[in-house]
Amino acid sequence: MLVLVNSSLISVDRNESGEEELYFLTPSGRLLLKDHPFNIPSFAWFSFPELNRAGQFLSNSFHQSNSVPFQMAHGMSFWDFISKHDELNKGFQDRMISDSRLTISAVVNECSDIFQDLKSLVDVGVGSGTAARLIAETFPHVKCTVYDLPCVIETIPENTRVVVDSIGGDMFEYIPQLMLKFQLGVLTDHSSVGPIFQIKPIVTEKDLYSLTLSGRILLKHHPFNLDPSWSWFSNPALNMAGQCLCGSFHQSNSTPFEMAHQMSLRDFLSKKDELNRQFNDLMASDSRLIMNAVVKECSDIFQGLKSLVDVGGGNGTAARLITEAFPHMKCTVYDLPHVIATIPESTHSIVDSIGGDMFQYIPPSDAIFLKSILHDWSDEDCVRILKRCKEAIPPKEDGGKVIIIDIVLGNEDDKSFELQLFFDITMMVLLGAKERTEGEWKTLFKEAGFSDYKIKRALGFRSIIELYP
Ligand SMILES: C[S@@+](CC[C@H](N)C(=O)[O-])C[C@H]1O[C@@H](n2cnc3c(N)ncnc32)[C@H](O)[C@@H]1O
């Protein structure tokens, strides 16, 4: 809901007594309704698993100058592929038709002067011919012709054929009496990639390409290699879950992931070794990047601690880095027994490990460390986990604390706000969970019986919260 409100798709108001929040679709939000004349099916198109599979080949394609990621993923060009896959082809055509309805409607209404002196116009690469039909209907003095591959021309509907002429051919060979060319630029429509990763991997200057500092993080041999994020977020199983987001609003008991795969993400990971490996790689690479900054720039949070338990610590990457930076501190990784079994020997030799369930019991220590844990769970579950944490630590006067690394949602002026919202929607799709504002965190802390907290906004889009009993 937060994403929809912040994207201005839904507005929030209060009822007359001011007690109840009311939600309304904004004019842009109405564009998502199926029966809206300008309904936009782009969301469905961009979450097709076949497209996301192609995304996984992006880094490899840099090593093979003649290959396009889509070709590497599917063994044929995008155009050949959609000609063989009806559902994808239909998704593509639907997207182009809706795009034409929206943009051409604005073009013919607001920019009618560009058609004023024309007697004829050829629309090249037309798809369904929607754009040409709208132009022909609005400017009957312009003779409109649609031009596309013969197999596409065959599919143009009858109501378009009556107002426009059609010619089949190859635009690389010949374009009939070209007066104005419409190319809708599908493949350049990639604006969401930048904000997701907030990196611009390649800069270009005088035809020379070089990796920027952030771009280097994508290299496999870089110590903070973020390649696993790319593989994880472009995995088709996740994107299929994204397609069920709208449907899940009507079924309050299922997360989008459960609707797509008939089981929870946790069960799915336990059955799919490859995806599970990608997830563990993702968390380990994230820990390497973030924990390096934490132990160097925020070492004061570990001051005076003799022991620390990393709850939900995965394969122990974070605990190992903390132990290496503060060897006087006894670090223990606590996670489900089957995860503890995956801790590598090099980590085992310097950190302790215990298998168990954080909802039942957390081993006692001076501090409990929770990195990327609470955003996976509902408010009720977070309160249960936090109560177990409180039972495990000494009073505030004796140095007891919980250290949380998670997102504290900012506002739209923050540089990383879009990225924070991306994670918020990801948590909603995968786990039915969410990111939280400071106010929401405060409510949880109070309910779990904690007295005070401090927030350090020191880690880009994430924060460190020190929580005191
Ligand atoms: C998102 S991962 C975070 C891993 C690690 N903290 C990091 O940031 O790299 C969540 C972790 O919580 C663990 N977990 C889930 N349910 C748990 C439970 N009931 N008790 C203990 N750990 C649990 C998972 O096994 C997983 O390792």
Side-chain angles (χ1 to χ4, degrees):
M1 192 55 80
L2 198 62
V3 173
L4 295 174
V5 170
N6 280 298
S7 317
S8 305
L9 296 174
I10 284 188
S11 63
V12 192
D13 208 344
R14 292 203 162 265
N15 66 356
E16 274 176 21
S17 64
E19 284 163 4
E20 211 183 325
E21 277 193 343
L22 302 174
Y23 295 91
F24 299 94
L25 278 171
T26 61
S28 354
R30 303 193 74 79
L31 292 179
L32 295 179
L33 297 178
K34 283 211 172 51
D35 54 353
H36 192 286
F38 295 141
N39 162 35
I40 299 181
S42 298
F43 187 75
W45 166 251
F46 285 115
S47 54
F48 262 107
E50 291 85 351
L51 297 191
N52 294 298
R53 196 172 137 61
Q56 295 201 312
F57 285 79
L58 182 63
S59 36
N60 285 354
S61 74
F62 290 142
H63 301 286
Q64 291 189 22
S65 60
N66 287 333
S67 288
V68 173
F70 193 96
Q71 175 99 30
M72 291 176 78
H74 299 289
M76 64 183 91
S77 76
F78 171 77
W79 304 111
D80 287 344
F81 192 86
I82 61 169
S83 73
K84 291 180 173 42
H85 292 81
D86 291 347
E87 204 190 333
L88 196 68
N89 193 25
K90 182 175 172 317
F92 179 67
Q93 298 304 345
D94 285 351
R95 177 176 179 267
M96 296 316 298
I97 292 171
S98 92
D99 186 63
S100 287
R101 274 198 304 262
L102 183 65
T103 39
I104 299 301
S105 218
V107 169
V108 295
N109 287 329
E110 309 297 331
C111 315
S112 59
D113 53 312
I114 62 173
F115 300 98
Q116 222 67 69
D117 301 327
L118 292 181
K119 292 198 185 65
S120 61
L121 174 149
V122 178
D123 182 357
V124 178
V126 291
S128 68
T130 307
R133 180 169 54 77
L134 289 171
I135 296 170
E137 283 169 356
T138 318
F139 306 102
H141 69 278
V142 181
K143 177 179 176 309
C144 283
T145 304
V146 292
Y147 184 68
D148 207 313
L149 295 169
C151 60
V152 177
I153 290 293
E154 269 173 33
T155 65
I156 290 178
E158 202 41 47
N159 65 346
T160 302
R161 282 181 196 279
V162 295
V163 286
V164 301
D165 287 343
S166 57
I167 303 177
D170 181 344
M171 66 179 169
F172 288 99
E173 303 290 333
Y174 164 74
I175 291 181
Q177 299 162 346
L178 181 69
M179 302 291 284
L180 177 65
K181 177 174 156 192
F182 281 95
Q183 278 296 352
L184 295 176
V186 196
L187 298 174
T188 58
D189 195 359
H190 58 266
S191 54
S192 62
V193 173
I196 288 176
F197 289 103
Q198 289 208 319
I199 47 179
K200 198 170 171 223
I202 290 172
V203 291
T204 163
E205 196 181 291
K206 291 186 193 148
D207 291 329
L208 293 177
Y209 295 89
S210 61
L211 282 169
T212 60
L213 262 187
S214 355
R216 301 191 77 79
I217 297 184
L218 292 178
L219 296 176
K220 284 212 167 51
H221 59 265
H222 193 284
F224 300 142
N225 164 28
L226 278 187
D227 188 54
S229 307
W230 179 254
S231 311
W232 169 256
F233 284 113
S234 60
N235 192 293
L238 266 54
N239 294 296
M240 270 172 75
Q243 291 205 319
C244 295
L245 181 62
C246 303
S248 74
F249 291 142
H250 301 286
Q251 288 191 22
S252 58
N253 287 335
S254 294
T255 65
F257 193 93
E258 285 162 354
M259 288 181 72
H261 301 287
Q262 288 76 52
M263 67 179 93
S264 71
L265 173 68
R266 293 184 184 93
D267 288 345
F268 195 83
L269 286 181
S270 71
K271 291 182 176 30
K272 306 272 179 188
D273 289 349
E274 174 58 16
L275 195 67
N276 195 33
R277 189 190 57 71
Q278 277 183 4
F279 177 70
N280 292 334
D281 286 354
L282 167 79
M283 294 317 301
S285 92
D286 180 66
S287 284
R288 277 192 301 272
L289 179 67
I290 287 294
M291 293 314 296
N292 246 288
V294 171
V295 297
K296 285 200 181 106
E297 310 296 332
C298 313
S299 59
D300 54 309
I301 62 171
F302 300 100
Q303 216 80 66
L305 296 178
K306 291 197 188 65
S307 59
L308 174 145
V309 174
D310 182 2
V311 172
N315 74 359
T317 305
R320 183 168 51 75
L321 290 167
I322 296 173
T323 308
E324 283 168 359
F326 308 103
H328 65 277
M329 201 160 55
K330 178 177 175 307
C331 276
T332 306
V333 186
Y334 184 68
D335 207 305
L336 296 168
H338 73 269
V339 180
I340 291 294
T342 66
I343 297 178
E345 197 39 51
S346 56
T347 303
H348 258 310
S349 59
I350 56 169
V351 301
D352 288 344
S353 61
I354 303 177
D357 178 353
M358 64 187 168
F359 287 99
Q360 305 297 329
Y361 167 77
I362 290 179
S365 83
D366 286 352
I368 301 298
F369 188 71
L370 294 171
K371 174 177 166 287
S372 306
I373 299 296
L374 298 176
H375 74 163
D376 287 353
W377 299 96
S378 68
D379 287 349
E380 296 72 32
D381 286 333
C382 285
V383 171
R384 286 171 62 203
I385 298 168
L386 287 171
K387 282 185 174 165
R388 296 293 88 77
C389 290
K390 188 161 177 275
E391 289 160 6
I393 53 175
K396 184 178 182 187
E397 312 76 73
D398 297 334
K401 63 167 128 172
V402 179
I403 302 166
I404 299 170
I405 297 192
D406 245 325
I407 286 175
V408 177
L409 281 168
N411 57 51
E412 46 193 282
D413 299 332
D414 291 347
K415 261 201 203 150
S416 44
F417 189 55
E418 269 191 36
L419 189 59
Q420 294 182 332
L421 290 182
F422 166 73
F423 275 94
D424 186 40
I425 206 164
T426 302
M427 292 304 130
M428 189 196 298
V429 167
L430 298 185
L431 295 158
K434 61 176 181 177
E435 303 299 346
R436 295 178 169 88
T437 60
E438 181 173 349
E440 289 171 319
W441 281 114
K442 201 172 168 177
T443 307
L444 293 187
F445 299 157
K446 207 169 148 207
E447 239 177 274
F450 286 86
S451 65
D452 198 8
Y453 67 91
K454 244 194 294 186
I455 296 183
K456 273 198 172 85
R457 294 179 192 267
L459 299 174
F461 69 98
R462 275 175 285 192
S463 294
I464 305 180
I465 309 176
E466 289 175 85
L467 179 59
Y468 305 105

